[in-house]
Amino acid sequence: MGFSIETSDHLASENEIAAIHADPGFAVHASDHMASARWSNGEWTDLRIHPFEPIKLDPRAMALHYGQEIFEGLKAFAIDDGSVAMFRPEENAKRFVLSAERMAMAPLPVEVFIDACEELIRIDQRWIPTTPGSSFYLRPFMYASEPHIGVRAALEFSFSVIALPTAPFFSATFDAITVGVVDQYVRAAKGGTGEAKCAGNYAASLLAKQQVVAMGCAEVLWLDAKEHRYVEELSGMNLFFVEHRDGMNDRLVTPPLNGTILRGVTRESLLQLCATLGYETEEREITIDELETRTKSGEISEAFACGTAAVIAPIGRVKRRDQDEIVFGSGKPGETTTRLYDELVDIQKGRSELFPEWRHIVSGASMSAAESLTA
Ligand SMILES: *Cc1c(COP(=O)(O)O)cnc(C)c1O
């Protein structure tokens, strides 16, 4: 199955793209094209690369009423040798299949997902930023497009990928964030949709986010739905804690994937990277009380969140209503957190010998020699 290609007749000028590259923001400006495909009569058809444009949707489209929508987020990078690489797109493609299955949607073959991303990168390679830390953010998504009022799984779906140049999440300083616990709401219960990357999970998290923002926090730290004790993840990032052990390497602890936590590609990559760098890792349940006690005693010295957008976001503090703050170390990004961030970014940018297979080179895309010199 190949993609047909319709080139835009209103391409952005080199000057317009240069202005966007000078100040891209986070995924603000979409590139000239997008990829699309449709599922109908039991097959994927109409695979196209076409100009970026608004989506025409029947008002009865089932996604608008019953919420079948899933998405992915991954990045492509200008590599120092002039090539262009996506970071582990196979993992995102496989997760997209799992999300589709959970939401009773049509699974998109892994090859079609990757081809769509590659074709879009090739046609819009002028848009890939080269400044340090910047990337080309890819947002694949799928929604129920079938016009039908009445609750059941849809029979028609639309898939698209858009691409947006993106500044580094931490532009100047690698700052620690404060996260907040809410008592009233939960993100995901066992048997629910927590493991699927679906729009509904995010919609359900927004009110809690407003509450913690009012407490001076950047994100919600979600506890398990049943006992409200076990630390799970943030709304869009997984969690790690660093155990400091005298005379030994640090140990990295992350909550296990028990059905309510999203299977982050960054989380999984960090577990492998940590093992290679000589850190012990442990996937185990950790309660908010243990976190408080062992942070006070200094046994847990650092915490961070991880995900495609930020790669790693150091966590300085946890706030709870009417309870003491939990402060990790000095409340500033820790040494191990910073090292892991640097190591992972080096792998993504092709500056490390480790895990070369994590870079999926996009054939037919390259940065000009002049541009790669400035990277
Ligand atoms: C996307 C997401 C993550 C991070 O996953 P990555 O593959 O590392 O980007 C973590 N938690 C939730 C809830 C997410 O939606």
Side-chain angles (χ1 to χ4, degrees), residues 132-148:
S134 63
S135 61
F136 202 34
Y137 184 75
L138 300 166
R139 167 54 61 90
F141 58 102
M142 190 204 300
Y143 52 92
S145 46
E146 184 192 356
H148 177 80

Side-chain angles (χ1 to χ4, degrees), residues 77-158:
F77 297 91
I79 302 299
D80 289 1
D81 67 7
S83 61
V84 175
M86 288 187 273
F87 185 71
R88 308 191 74 185
E90 306 80 11
E91 299 304 311
N92 296 88
K94 284 191 260 175
R95 186 170 68 191
F96 201 59
V97 170
L98 295 178
S99 296
E101 285 170 349
R102 176 63 184 85
M103 304 302 287
M105 299 169 78
L108 181 79
V110 167
E111 321 78 73
V112 179
F113 181 103
I114 293 176
D115 281 357
C117 295
E118 287 200 336
E119 292 283 2
L120 183 56
I121 290 170
R122 268 194 284 277
I123 195 166
D124 282 343
Q125 53 188 286
R126 299 186 302 148
W127 285 80
I128 302 174
T130 55
T131 47
S134 63
S135 61
F136 202 34
Y137 184 75
L138 300 166
R139 167 54 61 90
F141 58 102
M142 190 204 300
Y143 52 92
S145 46
E146 184 192 356
H148 177 80
I149 299 294
V151 181
R152 59 160 169 76
L155 300 170
E156 290 169 23
F157 298 97
S158 292

Side-chain angles (χ1 to χ4, degrees), residues 95 187 197 202 233-238 262 264-266 307-308:
R95 186 170 68 191
R187 190 191 90 92
K197 209 167 174 77
Y202 278 79
E233 62 171 325
L234 307 190
S235 300
M237 285 191 264
N238 295 114
L262 204 283
V265 178
T266 318
T308 296

